[in-house]
Amino acid sequence: MYTPSRSKYNSPVGGDRFIPTRSLMDMDYARSTFSNWTPVKKPKEEEHFLPTPKDEYRRRIEEHFNVDSEGKPRRMLVFRTSNGCKRKLEFPEESLTSQSCLVKPVRHVTTYSDLVLDAPNLRDSDCLKLMDWSRENILAIALGLSVYLYKADTCKTELLLETDNYDDYPSSLAWSNDGRTLAVGFSTSRIEVWDAVSLQLIGIVEEHGGRVGSLCWNHHVLSSGGRDGLIINHDVRTNGRMVSRLRAHSGEVCGLRWSEDGAKLASGGNDGLVHVWDRQCMRQSSKYIYQFKDHTAPVRALAWCPFKSSTLATGGGATDGSIKIWSTESGNCVTTIDTGSQVCALEWNKHQKEILSAHGLEENLITLRSYPSLRKIVDLKGHKDRVLHLTQSPDGSRVASASPDETIRFWKVFGRPPSPRKGDDESMFSLKRMHIR
């Protein structure tokens, strides 16, 4: 910045007070200028001076140093580095990483539910899976002897099925990958497959010897877990023909989850064990590839990481209360944390490195944690009883939770998904926003 000289005399080179790098200065010109400079009084208009030999010498020196070989003016003080300068600024290595150079905007997490639905007769059992959200943006919920479909786009609810036998109730639900088919397990050991578009029953499978408490899909393969300790894989293309039968749990199979890439199946049981199965080996052998024994209570909370398919999160029951992160490449527990209460369900954030956990007694809350540290970010409160079920919308922006307090709550905890690129279908997973006042 140019700062005018405070002296009543003017310097031959002006009053620039910038202090440059010494290697960028023309020292010969500077030495000549400042050593020979003397204050010169401003002459009056009527006076005329003839140049002295000393003045002529100074003029020629300035002319020589102020013009380069190409005839362009030369500056004594250089504000920008020249091509010939070898020096460069040195920064700490960590300051050059994308994480530190790009400052992420702070994401606000909404801690209250924006929509609450009544859920009368929701069964209070931590061995059942009674809620699931489809790719077509339809939430299926089993209440008492009935299964309902809530369409999030239109906020309309319709009845899918209802039984007339109190001992024959829906005990598990799972949507197919395309969101057009719903599998419903029953307490009397059968499984019904429904077309969600026409609301028609398209198949019945009866292979278990007890209640079917867990279901999950891997494209055309429907996996089911029962009170008999069996895991059965069915091929729905052949009227539910059994593909493989897996036995490893000594108690009821409480949870089933296929990995994101469809290569591995995880199962959790009432016996506190977690097993990991390889899809390629299921037909030839019923032997699991890993058995995790670290939990000390039933394990129903299972969730595969969406950005690393070999990472599995598990949650322990009331006397355990821990969340563990496993590597299914090495078979080791990578991270563990004691939450202090029953872990009923787990859901990964698809857009951020975060995981959401639903808890039972005595907190009855939902907790958002960062990954991989599992540090608590925020607690979501609202349910009056333990939060047994979690499921997220197809675009990953909202999460629904269900509790025996007979409410279903919707949370915008994961935030909006990234903006679609030009040409993407922006309306594929559009959601209708609702606010309860």
Side-chain angles (χ1 to χ4, degrees), residues 168-417:
D168 183 25
Y169 57 85
S171 54
S172 56
L173 299 170
W175 285 102
S176 61
N177 296 81
D178 61 5
R180 300 176 62 88
T181 305
L182 180 68
V184 183
F186 288 83
S187 59
T188 53
S189 75
R190 79 179 183 279
I191 301 171
E192 294 183 357
V193 181
W194 287 76
D195 186 322
V197 179
S198 62
L199 303 183
Q200 297 294 319
L201 178 65
I202 57 178
I204 298 178
V205 179
E206 294 181 291
E207 296 287 349
H208 284 281
R211 179 177 66 182
V212 181
S214 54
L215 291 168
C216 65
W217 290 80
N218 186 7
H219 300 289
H220 61 273
V221 175
L222 173 62
S223 301
S224 59
R227 181 177 277 179
D228 54 8
L230 289 176
I231 301 170
I232 301 178
N233 296 309
H234 316 267
D235 190 337
V236 296
R237 298 174 302 179
T238 57
N239 296 322
R241 181 180 64 86
M242 184 176 63
V243 177
S244 59
R245 182 194 298 259
L246 310 174
R247 180 182 291 275
H249 292 281
S250 58
E252 184 170 6
V253 180
C254 302
L256 283 177
R257 278 285 183 101
W258 280 98
S259 60
E260 293 293 315
D261 58 3
K264 295 182 178 68
L265 174 67
S267 63
N270 236 358
D271 51 9
L273 299 177
V274 177
H275 293 104
V276 179
W277 315 80
D278 186 88
R279 178 175 56 86
Q280 299 295 338
C281 302
M282 285 181 180
R283 292 178 179 269
Q284 292 78 22
S285 172
S286 61
K287 182 67 176 177
Y288 48 80
I289 59 174
Y290 292 116
Q291 183 186 70
F292 302 139
K293 302 180 180 180
D294 293 24
H295 286 291
T296 59
V299 181
R300 73 184 299 265
L302 302 168
W304 290 93
C305 181
F307 46 85
K308 190 173 183 180
S309 59
S310 62
T311 299
L312 173 68
T314 62
T319 58
D320 184 320
S322 67
I323 298 175
K324 300 183 185 297
I325 307 295
W326 305 88
S327 169
T328 58
E329 293 177 340
S330 63
N332 297 325
C333 181
V334 179
T335 311
T336 183
I337 187 172
D338 184 9
T339 67
S341 62
Q342 178 188 20
V343 183
C344 302
L346 294 168
E347 286 289 331
W348 289 88
N349 188 340
K350 297 178 181 179
H351 316 303
Q352 307 278 346
K353 288 191 175 182
E354 298 169 346
I355 189 168
L356 194 68
S357 55
H359 297 274
L361 301 174
E362 296 180 346
E363 298 296 334
N364 300 326
L365 49 76
I366 303 170
T367 302
L368 181 66
R369 299 179 183 273
S370 62
Y371 175 80
S373 66
L374 297 185
R375 178 183 57 85
K376 182 187 292 188
I377 298 175
V378 68
D379 286 331
L380 309 179
K381 300 180 180 180
H383 285 291
K384 305 303 181 183
D385 207 334
R386 56 183 182 167
V387 187
L388 292 178
H389 308 283
L390 282 182
T391 185
Q392 61 181 300
S393 62
D395 67 351
S397 64
R398 304 173 80 192
V399 173
S401 60
S403 169
D405 64 5
E406 298 190 336
T407 63
I408 300 173
R409 294 179 177 269
F410 294 80
W411 315 81
K412 293 181 180 178
V413 61
F414 286 160
R416 294 181 179 180

Side-chain angles (χ1 to χ4, degrees), residues 115-146:
L115 176 63
V116 181
L117 300 178
D118 291 330
N121 303 318
L122 182 72
R123 294 187 180 275
D124 187 1
S125 174
D126 52 10
C127 290
L128 309 180
K129 180 188 177 184
L130 303 178
M131 185 173 67
D132 199 18
W133 206 330
S134 80
R135 183 182 176 88
E136 295 296 320
N137 208 15
I138 301 176
L139 184 74
I141 181 74
L143 302 175
L145 305 179
S146 307

Side-chain angles (χ1 to χ4, degrees), residues 40-58:
V40 179
K41 294 184 179 181
K42 186 177 181 181
K44 297 180 181 180
E45 294 182 359
E46 63 275 7
E47 293 181 341
H48 299 278
F49 290 91
L50 295 176
T52 64
K54 189 174 183 179
D55 294 333
E56 180 65 18
Y57 176 79
R58 183 183 297 113

